[in-house]
Amino acid sequence: MDQKTFEIYAPVRNTINKSLGVVVKVAGDNVTVQPPAGDRLTFRAQYLAPATEAEAASLKDLITRLRIDEENRNKAKVMKADPALIREEFEKFVRHIAVRYPKSAETFREFWGELMQAAGDLPGQTWEMRPNTSKAPGPVLKIFNPASQKWVYCLSLLPGWGLRMEIKKEFLPPGSETLFPIDHAMFGAGRAVELIYRDFTKEKRQPYADCIRAIYARAAQAEAGPDGP
């Protein structure tokens, strides 16, 4: 019996339970499918069949979203290696905010400058841009993790009319919890705060900049090790 073959993004139907989905990975006889809702599932190719024209039409939006997500992932990989592209994406993102909320964009840019003084303005290392998807687009601060020897996400910023910040609990200095009063952010791994720009004066921003400065100072000391400067 000839082995069935399916292309990536092909709309398919499960021949057993008639469920629909879109092919996202093919590995030999194993085909991974993204259903319209829920997690991806892997089946033997023999249990899948091409979707009918009507079934394929119902999966059109899902296929479009999957293609866009893949494009953004590839774009993010390129950006990580090019600081100029990261800055360009950041400027584009802030301009989008400014079109709708000029004052918010102005305050955010001032706060961003304060964060860069605290963390170090090294795009691709100390910060990068999340892919522009529905999953929290925007800038994110990164920090060196001695345990994994990698730069990992530390603080995510979701700017717009207001500003939401989410920080991983493992990096938050003791006593700084009140700055991020919302617990169980990041699926329980972080804390968060939601701020309104008109109340986010330089004086109120200062504790956040100081917190980030303390986090990066501690990380630099850990990276240097006991024999470091």
Side-chain angles (χ1 to χ4, degrees):
M1 180 182 294
D2 293 335
Q3 179 176 306
K4 290 183 179 180
T5 57
F6 295 96
E7 295 183 356
I8 301 299
Y9 303 127
V12 295
R13 171 176 23 89
N14 186 305
T15 57
I16 298 176
N17 61 17
K18 310 305 180 184
S19 62
L20 302 177
V22 177
V23 175
V24 293
K25 182 180 178 181
V26 178
D29 194 36
N30 294 318
V31 180
T32 301
V33 174
Q34 172 65 63
D39 297 328
R40 297 179 175 184
L41 302 169
T42 300
F43 305 96
R44 290 284 188 178
Q46 69 191 77
Y47 298 117
L48 298 174
T52 65
E53 185 175 343
E55 291 170 337
S58 71
L59 295 169
K60 184 177 179 180
D61 289 345
L62 175 58
I63 294 173
T64 299
R65 177 169 63 81
L66 290 171
R67 288 183 182 277
I68 292 174
D69 285 349
E70 179 63 20
E71 290 174 3
N72 285 327
R73 281 193 295 271
N74 292 335
K75 185 177 181 181
K77 291 177 183 178
V78 173
M79 282 200 307
K80 285 182 179 181
D82 191 333
L85 285 178
I86 296 175
R87 291 191 189 280
E88 181 181 326
E89 195 69 14
F90 174 82
E91 290 299 328
K92 185 190 305 181
F93 186 79
V94 178
R95 285 198 299 271
H96 286 169
I97 299 173
V99 169
R100 296 170 295 170
Y101 317 113
K103 290 294 185 181
S104 295
E106 183 180 329
T107 303
F108 173 72
R109 193 180 287 279
E110 291 176 359
F111 180 52
W112 180 254
E114 293 160 3
L115 290 182
M116 290 298 92
Q117 290 180 359
D121 188 4
L122 299 172
Q125 180 171 314
T126 58
W127 69 276
E128 66 183 48
M129 293 295 293
R130 285 182 182 272
N132 190 19
T133 69
S134 59
K135 299 179 181 178
V140 58
L141 298 188
K142 300 176 66 178
I143 198 165
F144 185 76
N145 186 333
S148 64
Q149 293 293 298
K150 294 180 180 179
W151 287 80
V152 298
Y153 284 0
C154 170
L155 177 73
S156 297
L157 297 99
L158 290 78
W161 176 79
L163 173 64
R164 179 181 172 92
M165 293 189 290
E166 297 182 344
I167 189 168
K168 287 189 175 179
K169 293 179 183 178
E170 62 186 284
F171 301 122
L172 193 61
S176 300
E177 292 82 4
T178 55
L179 293 176
F180 300 88
I182 304 172
D183 201 358
H184 303 301
M186 297 178 172
F187 303 100
R191 297 182 67 93
V193 62
E194 293 183 351
L195 301 159
I196 299 175
Y197 285 113
R198 67 170 178 266
D199 300 326
F200 202 34
T201 62
K202 183 173 179 60
E203 291 73 23
K204 291 186 177 180
R205 297 196 304 263
Q206 190 63 49
Y208 290 95
D210 290 343
C211 177
I212 296 303
R213 186 174 291 105
I215 290 172
Y216 278 80
R218 184 173 61 182
Q221 185 177 14
E223 184 179 2
D227 299 325

